[in-house]
Amino acid sequence: MVRTRFAPSPTGYLHIGGVRTALFNWLFTRRHGGQFILRIDDTDQQRHVEEALRPILDGLRWLGVEWDEGPDVGGPYAPYYQSQRLEFYQKAVQRLLEVGAAYRDYARPEEIQAEREAAQREKRPFVYSRRWMAETAEDARRFESQGRQAVVRLKMPREGTLVIDDLIRGRVEFDWSQEQDHVIQRADGTCLYHLASVVDDYEFRITHVIRAEEHLSNTPRQVFIAQALGYPLPQYAHLPFVAEPGSRVKLSKRKLDKYLKNKEFAERVEHGRRIAARLGLATELEVFNPVVVDFYRQVGYLPEAIVNYLALLGWSLDDKTEMFTREELIRHFSLEGVNKAPASFDPQKLWAFQDRYMRAVPMEKKIELVLPYLEKVGWVSAPASAAVRQKVAQILQAAGDRIKTAGDILDYGYFFTPDDRLEYEPGAIEKRLRAPGVADRLRRFAQQLAQVEPFEPAMLERMMHDFVMAEGIKLGDIIHAVRAAVTGTTVGLGMFDALAILGRESCLARIERALQYAV
């Protein structure tokens, strides 16, 4: 039975790279009919962010990356929070001490630092002298009488080579002499990630550890712990990291100022901010961050598009296939298809996937996608009436591929605004409504508009054509003023579609109201 795990720390929103790691674990597990476990690595209580856990769980579920065991679902190896598993780690520490694979160290931080600085001055690798290692109970009492407190360190080998067969990187060798005596338990008794991770991987029966390549350097100490405790080793697979746009540098949540110099990245951020602002959400980049998955959930991307794009960040089936259903990804995914080189995150490529997927969404589903956004801003009530659904369908049909994310429906608020509350953009007033002759022209146009039958796009277009001919003017002399009058904006859907969706009564009321600005 293949068993994999994804083990995020609840210290912030879920990073795109972390989501990709979770997805690869999930795809590998589903292909082999195994079980995918979600474990929360919250050993570092100082960094724990309680409110960050829910977006992690919600984000994975939104993407369809469901776990078989873990938070909210339980399982035979519960609990799945490391902060609740301290007894397991304490037993492991005691066993490592008993077999001589670890020791209690009473060195003060400044003493360790002094040894490290001495090695730097002498231009040699730093290797701890173990001067304050307590080999006996008498040693421990002596050090404690000096007011010292002990941590527990691994007693790493000082010679030889570790060889592992990584499922992505092949044969990887580590020189034991380059490894430090890593701390596995603090003076306050809490245990560190490296020990906890190894113990939990064993206790949860994990068969494959598929993780980001920055953990490759952690592998020797974790293998040492596992072997000292008599655990069978899982198979390791270290994924290439997700890089910055057009770069081979790791993508970071903290470098957004740099990324915003990328035109495509900046466009996606501005698009998301516009939607977030209309929803009343925080738009500061620390919160509304396009390097975290929650950004795309709030803006209204399709999870299918995100999954398809992320699957191609470091993996490929061949040199031409890009579009995959979830079932096809499960059927084709393999670690053999994962590259060793970093995969550059391309926001424009993701946008292209979103566009393709959104175009393919049936109208009824598209209505269901956008209605929650209209409800959040109070433009429609839930459940939506048949009349509201029909209006939304008309807007979506007229907008076509302008609606690239579900949140884009908020660009068309003027269809849901009461006629007497329509707001006019300053540019619409100055440029379109206050131009010479516009007021009288709008009055005459309204008279014609009141008589159009049926009030449909084709007839409205014919009427406007006839009006232009009768007035002896250009189309631009009236159509822009009409748009400003009925929508309050200077851009939007096709004018005749917009008029038909608003309906005769609203159009006439809005033109009448706009005339007060056309002076």
mmCIF file with all atom_site columns, all heavy atoms in Angstrom, residues 239-254:
data_model
loop_
_atom_site.group_PDB
_atom_site.id
_atom_site.type_symbol
_atom_site.label_atom_id
_atom_site.label_alt_id
_atom_site.label_comp_id
_atom_site.label_asym_id
_atom_site.label_entity_id
_atom_site.label_seq_id
_atom_site.pdbx_PDB_ins_code
_atom_site.Cartn_x
_atom_site.Cartn_y
_atom_site.Cartn_z
_atom_site.occupancy
_atom_site.B_iso_or_equiv
_atom_site.pdbx_formal_charge
_atom_site.auth_seq_id
_atom_site.auth_comp_id
_atom_site.auth_asym_id
_atom_site.auth_atom_id
_atom_site.pdbx_PDB_model_num
ATOM 1   N N   . LEU A 1 239 ? 11.504 17.000 -5.201  1.00 0.00 ? 239 LEU A N   1
ATOM 2   C CA  . LEU A 1 239 ? 10.967 17.741 -6.347  1.00 0.00 ? 239 LEU A CA  1
ATOM 3   C C   . LEU A 1 239 ? 11.774 19.008 -6.608  1.00 0.00 ? 239 LEU A C   1
ATOM 4   O O   . LEU A 1 239 ? 12.285 19.629 -5.670  1.00 0.00 ? 239 LEU A O   1
ATOM 5   C CB  . LEU A 1 239 ? 9.517  18.142 -6.067  1.00 0.00 ? 239 LEU A CB  1
ATOM 6   C CG  . LEU A 1 239 ? 8.559  17.016 -5.671  1.00 0.00 ? 239 LEU A CG  1
ATOM 7   C CD1 . LEU A 1 239 ? 7.226  17.608 -5.235  1.00 0.00 ? 239 LEU A CD1 1
ATOM 8   C CD2 . LEU A 1 239 ? 8.362  16.057 -6.834  1.00 0.00 ? 239 LEU A CD2 1
ATOM 9   N N   . PRO A 1 240 ? 11.864 19.443 -7.861  1.00 0.00 ? 240 PRO A N   1
ATOM 10  C CA  . PRO A 1 240 ? 12.502 20.733 -8.145  1.00 0.00 ? 240 PRO A CA  1
ATOM 11  C C   . PRO A 1 240 ? 11.672 21.858 -7.549  1.00 0.00 ? 240 PRO A C   1
ATOM 12  O O   . PRO A 1 240 ? 10.442 21.748 -7.456  1.00 0.00 ? 240 PRO A O   1
ATOM 13  C CB  . PRO A 1 240 ? 12.508 20.801 -9.677  1.00 0.00 ? 240 PRO A CB  1
ATOM 14  C CG  . PRO A 1 240 ? 11.328 19.967 -10.082 1.00 0.00 ? 240 PRO A CG  1
ATOM 15  C CD  . PRO A 1 240 ? 11.282 18.838 -9.083  1.00 0.00 ? 240 PRO A CD  1
ATOM 16  N N   . PHE A 1 241 ? 12.324 22.919 -7.107  1.00 0.00 ? 241 PHE A N   1
ATOM 17  C CA  . PHE A 1 241 ? 11.552 24.015 -6.521  1.00 0.00 ? 241 PHE A CA  1
ATOM 18  C C   . PHE A 1 241 ? 10.855 24.826 -7.602  1.00 0.00 ? 241 PHE A C   1
ATOM 19  O O   . PHE A 1 241 ? 11.209 24.778 -8.782  1.00 0.00 ? 241 PHE A O   1
ATOM 20  C CB  . PHE A 1 241 ? 12.427 24.902 -5.626  1.00 0.00 ? 241 PHE A CB  1
ATOM 21  C CG  . PHE A 1 241 ? 13.563 25.615 -6.318  1.00 0.00 ? 241 PHE A CG  1
ATOM 22  C CD1 . PHE A 1 241 ? 13.347 26.721 -7.125  1.00 0.00 ? 241 PHE A CD1 1
ATOM 23  C CD2 . PHE A 1 241 ? 14.879 25.173 -6.141  1.00 0.00 ? 241 PHE A CD2 1
ATOM 24  C CE1 . PHE A 1 241 ? 14.380 27.386 -7.740  1.00 0.00 ? 241 PHE A CE1 1
ATOM 25  C CE2 . PHE A 1 241 ? 15.935 25.835 -6.760  1.00 0.00 ? 241 PHE A CE2 1
ATOM 26  C CZ  . PHE A 1 241 ? 15.686 26.935 -7.567  1.00 0.00 ? 241 PHE A CZ  1
ATOM 27  N N   . VAL A 1 242 ? 9.828  25.558 -7.197  1.00 0.00 ? 242 VAL A N   1
ATOM 28  C CA  . VAL A 1 242 ? 9.120  26.464 -8.099  1.00 0.00 ? 242 VAL A CA  1
ATOM 29  C C   . VAL A 1 242 ? 9.857  27.796 -8.084  1.00 0.00 ? 242 VAL A C   1
ATOM 30  O O   . VAL A 1 242 ? 10.057 28.391 -7.019  1.00 0.00 ? 242 VAL A O   1
ATOM 31  C CB  . VAL A 1 242 ? 7.658  26.645 -7.664  1.00 0.00 ? 242 VAL A CB  1
ATOM 32  C CG1 . VAL A 1 242 ? 6.951  27.659 -8.567  1.00 0.00 ? 242 VAL A CG1 1
ATOM 33  C CG2 . VAL A 1 242 ? 6.928  25.300 -7.692  1.00 0.00 ? 242 VAL A CG2 1
ATOM 34  N N   . ALA A 1 243 ? 10.263 28.251 -9.256  1.00 0.00 ? 243 ALA A N   1
ATOM 35  C CA  . ALA A 1 243 ? 11.098 29.441 -9.368  1.00 0.00 ? 243 ALA A CA  1
ATOM 36  C C   . ALA A 1 243 ? 10.285 30.688 -9.670  1.00 0.00 ? 243 ALA A C   1
ATOM 37  O O   . ALA A 1 243 ? 9.116  30.624 -10.072 1.00 0.00 ? 243 ALA A O   1
ATOM 38  C CB  . ALA A 1 243 ? 12.155 29.238 -10.456 1.00 0.00 ? 243 ALA A CB  1
ATOM 39  N N   . GLU A 1 244 ? 10.921 31.823 -9.468  1.00 0.00 ? 244 GLU A N   1
ATOM 40  C CA  . GLU A 1 244 ? 10.320 33.113 -9.792  1.00 0.00 ? 244 GLU A CA  1
ATOM 41  C C   . GLU A 1 244 ? 10.017 33.189 -11.292 1.00 0.00 ? 244 GLU A C   1
ATOM 42  O O   . GLU A 1 244 ? 10.614 32.465 -12.091 1.00 0.00 ? 244 GLU A O   1
ATOM 43  C CB  . GLU A 1 244 ? 11.285 34.240 -9.431  1.00 0.00 ? 244 GLU A CB  1
ATOM 44  C CG  . GLU A 1 244 ? 11.629 34.323 -7.955  1.00 0.00 ? 244 GLU A CG  1
ATOM 45  C CD  . GLU A 1 244 ? 12.720 35.345 -7.678  1.00 0.00 ? 244 GLU A CD  1
ATOM 46  O OE1 . GLU A 1 244 ? 13.270 35.901 -8.660  1.00 0.00 ? 244 GLU A OE1 1
ATOM 47  O OE2 . GLU A 1 244 ? 13.023 35.584 -6.497  1.00 0.00 ? 244 GLU A OE2 1
ATOM 48  N N   . PRO A 1 245 ? 9.099  34.079 -11.690 1.00 0.00 ? 245 PRO A N   1
ATOM 49  C CA  . PRO A 1 245 ? 8.807  34.236 -13.123 1.00 0.00 ? 245 PRO A CA  1
ATOM 50  C C   . PRO A 1 245 ? 10.076 34.506 -13.918 1.00 0.00 ? 245 PRO A C   1
ATOM 51  O O   . PRO A 1 245 ? 10.842 35.417 -13.601 1.00 0.00 ? 245 PRO A O   1
ATOM 52  C CB  . PRO A 1 245 ? 7.856  35.438 -13.162 1.00 0.00 ? 245 PRO A CB  1
ATOM 53  C CG  . PRO A 1 245 ? 7.206  35.444 -11.815 1.00 0.00 ? 245 PRO A CG  1
ATOM 54  C CD  . PRO A 1 245 ? 8.268  34.966 -10.862 1.00 0.00 ? 245 PRO A CD  1
ATOM 55  N N   . GLY A 1 246 ? 10.324 33.684 -14.934 1.00 0.00 ? 246 GLY A N   1
ATOM 56  C CA  . GLY A 1 246 ? 11.470 33.878 -15.813 1.00 0.00 ? 246 GLY A CA  1
ATOM 57  C C   . GLY A 1 246 ? 12.807 33.771 -15.130 1.00 0.00 ? 246 GLY A C   1
ATOM 58  O O   . GLY A 1 246 ? 13.777 34.398 -15.556 1.00 0.00 ? 246 GLY A O   1
ATOM 59  N N   . SER A 1 247 ? 12.896 32.970 -14.070 1.00 0.00 ? 247 SER A N   1
ATOM 60  C CA  . SER A 1 247 ? 14.122 32.916 -13.282 1.00 0.00 ? 247 SER A CA  1
ATOM 61  C C   . SER A 1 247 ? 14.372 31.485 -12.820 1.00 0.00 ? 247 SER A C   1
ATOM 62  O O   . SER A 1 247 ? 13.550 30.592 -13.017 1.00 0.00 ? 247 SER A O   1
ATOM 63  C CB  . SER A 1 247 ? 14.013 33.847 -12.068 1.00 0.00 ? 247 SER A CB  1
ATOM 64  O OG  . SER A 1 247 ? 15.067 33.638 -11.158 1.00 0.00 ? 247 SER A OG  1
ATOM 65  N N   . ARG A 1 248 ? 15.527 31.267 -12.205 1.00 0.00 ? 248 ARG A N   1
ATOM 66  C CA  . ARG A 1 248 ? 15.838 29.985 -11.575 1.00 0.00 ? 248 ARG A CA  1
ATOM 67  C C   . ARG A 1 248 ? 16.041 30.171 -10.077 1.00 0.00 ? 248 ARG A C   1
ATOM 68  O O   . ARG A 1 248 ? 16.673 29.351 -9.407  1.00 0.00 ? 248 ARG A O   1
ATOM 69  C CB  . ARG A 1 248 ? 17.083 29.365 -12.223 1.00 0.00 ? 248 ARG A CB  1
ATOM 70  C CG  . ARG A 1 248 ? 16.876 29.017 -13.697 1.00 0.00 ? 248 ARG A CG  1
ATOM 71  C CD  . ARG A 1 248 ? 18.150 28.492 -14.314 1.00 0.00 ? 248 ARG A CD  1
ATOM 72  N NE  . ARG A 1 248 ? 18.490 27.171 -13.842 1.00 0.00 ? 248 ARG A NE  1
ATOM 73  C CZ  . ARG A 1 248 ? 18.033 26.034 -14.362 1.00 0.00 ? 248 ARG A CZ  1
ATOM 74  N NH1 . ARG A 1 248 ? 17.177 26.073 -15.377 1.00 0.00 ? 248 ARG A NH1 1
ATOM 75  N NH2 . ARG A 1 248 ? 18.405 24.863 -13.887 1.00 0.00 ? 248 ARG A NH2 1
ATOM 76  N N   . VAL A 1 249 ? 15.503 31.292 -9.560  1.00 0.00 ? 249 VAL A N   1
ATOM 77  C CA  . VAL A 1 249 ? 15.554 31.590 -8.128  1.00 0.00 ? 249 VAL A CA  1
ATOM 78  C C   . VAL A 1 249 ? 14.219 31.196 -7.516  1.00 0.00 ? 249 VAL A C   1
ATOM 79  O O   . VAL A 1 249 ? 13.161 31.428 -8.095  1.00 0.00 ? 249 VAL A O   1
ATOM 80  C CB  . VAL A 1 249 ? 15.831 33.089 -7.889  1.00 0.00 ? 249 VAL A CB  1
ATOM 81  C CG1 . VAL A 1 249 ? 15.819 33.404 -6.397  1.00 0.00 ? 249 VAL A CG1 1
ATOM 82  C CG2 . VAL A 1 249 ? 17.154 33.483 -8.515  1.00 0.00 ? 249 VAL A CG2 1
ATOM 83  N N   . LYS A 1 250 ? 14.247 30.602 -6.328  1.00 0.00 ? 250 LYS A N   1
ATOM 84  C CA  . LYS A 1 250 ? 13.035 30.092 -5.702  1.00 0.00 ? 250 LYS A CA  1
ATOM 85  C C   . LYS A 1 250 ? 11.985 31.180 -5.495  1.00 0.00 ? 250 LYS A C   1
ATOM 86  O O   . LYS A 1 250 ? 12.288 32.278 -5.040  1.00 0.00 ? 250 LYS A O   1
ATOM 87  C CB  . LYS A 1 250 ? 13.380 29.444 -4.355  1.00 0.00 ? 250 LYS A CB  1
ATOM 88  C CG  . LYS A 1 250 ? 12.181 28.763 -3.697  1.00 0.00 ? 250 LYS A CG  1
ATOM 89  C CD  . LYS A 1 250 ? 12.565 28.155 -2.355  1.00 0.00 ? 250 LYS A CD  1
ATOM 90  C CE  . LYS A 1 250 ? 11.349 27.575 -1.659  1.00 0.00 ? 250 LYS A CE  1
ATOM 91  N NZ  . LYS A 1 250 ? 11.675 27.041 -0.327  1.00 0.00 ? 250 LYS A NZ  1
ATOM 92  N N   . LEU A 1 251 ? 10.747 30.855 -5.840  1.00 0.00 ? 251 LEU A N   1
ATOM 93  C CA  . LEU A 1 251 ? 9.615  31.762 -5.644  1.00 0.00 ? 251 LEU A CA  1
ATOM 94  C C   . LEU A 1 251 ? 9.392  31.988 -4.158  1.00 0.00 ? 251 LEU A C   1
ATOM 95  O O   . LEU A 1 251 ? 9.419  31.051 -3.364  1.00 0.00 ? 251 LEU A O   1
ATOM 96  C CB  . LEU A 1 251 ? 8.370  31.155 -6.278  1.00 0.00 ? 251 LEU A CB  1
ATOM 97  C CG  . LEU A 1 251 ? 7.100  32.010 -6.338  1.00 0.00 ? 251 LEU A CG  1
ATOM 98  C CD1 . LEU A 1 251 ? 7.271  33.142 -7.334  1.00 0.00 ? 251 LEU A CD1 1
ATOM 99  C CD2 . LEU A 1 251 ? 5.899  31.142 -6.729  1.00 0.00 ? 251 LEU A CD2 1
ATOM 100 N N   . SER A 1 252 ? 9.160  33.244 -3.776  1.00 0.00 ? 252 SER A N   1
ATOM 101 C CA  . SER A 1 252 ? 9.008  33.587 -2.365  1.00 0.00 ? 252 SER A CA  1
ATOM 102 C C   . SER A 1 252 ? 7.796  34.470 -2.158  1.00 0.00 ? 252 SER A C   1
ATOM 103 O O   . SER A 1 252 ? 7.462  35.319 -2.996  1.00 0.00 ? 252 SER A O   1
ATOM 104 C CB  . SER A 1 252 ? 10.258 34.308 -1.855  1.00 0.00 ? 252 SER A CB  1
ATOM 105 O OG  . SER A 1 252 ? 10.043 34.853 -0.571  1.00 0.00 ? 252 SER A OG  1
ATOM 106 N N   . LYS A 1 253 ? 7.142  34.310 -0.999  1.00 0.00 ? 253 LYS A N   1
ATOM 107 C CA  . LYS A 1 253 ? 6.011  35.176 -0.648  1.00 0.00 ? 253 LYS A CA  1
ATOM 108 C C   . LYS A 1 253 ? 6.479  36.573 -0.278  1.00 0.00 ? 253 LYS A C   1
ATOM 109 O O   . LYS A 1 253 ? 5.672  37.488 -0.179  1.00 0.00 ? 253 LYS A O   1
ATOM 110 C CB  . LYS A 1 253 ? 5.256  34.569 0.545   1.00 0.00 ? 253 LYS A CB  1
ATOM 111 C CG  . LYS A 1 253 ? 4.501  33.303 0.226   1.00 0.00 ? 253 LYS A CG  1
ATOM 112 C CD  . LYS A 1 253 ? 3.635  32.857 1.381   1.00 0.00 ? 253 LYS A CD  1
ATOM 113 C CE  . LYS A 1 253 ? 4.426  32.257 2.509   1.00 0.00 ? 253 LYS A CE  1
ATOM 114 N NZ  . LYS A 1 253 ? 3.555  31.666 3.553   1.00 0.00 ? 253 LYS A NZ  1
ATOM 115 N N   . ARG A 1 254 ? 7.762  36.745 -0.069  1.00 0.00 ? 254 ARG A N   1
ATOM 116 C CA  . ARG A 1 254 ? 8.276  38.009 0.463   1.00 0.00 ? 254 ARG A CA  1
ATOM 117 C C   . ARG A 1 254 ? 8.977  38.872 -0.581  1.00 0.00 ? 254 ARG A C   1
ATOM 118 O O   . ARG A 1 254 ? 9.620  39.846 -0.235  1.00 0.00 ? 254 ARG A O   1
ATOM 119 C CB  . ARG A 1 254 ? 9.230  37.707 1.622   1.00 0.00 ? 254 ARG A CB  1
ATOM 120 C CG  . ARG A 1 254 ? 8.557  36.970 2.769   1.00 0.00 ? 254 ARG A CG  1
ATOM 121 C CD  . ARG A 1 254 ? 9.533  36.535 3.836   1.00 0.00 ? 254 ARG A CD  1
ATOM 122 N NE  . ARG A 1 254 ? 8.870  35.824 4.913   1.00 0.00 ? 254 ARG A NE  1
ATOM 123 C CZ  . ARG A 1 254 ? 8.599  34.521 4.896   1.00 0.00 ? 254 ARG A CZ  1
ATOM 124 N NH1 . ARG A 1 254 ? 8.951  33.800 3.838   1.00 0.00 ? 254 ARG A NH1 1
ATOM 125 N NH2 . ARG A 1 254 ? 7.991  33.935 5.919   1.00 0.00 ? 254 ARG A NH2 1
#
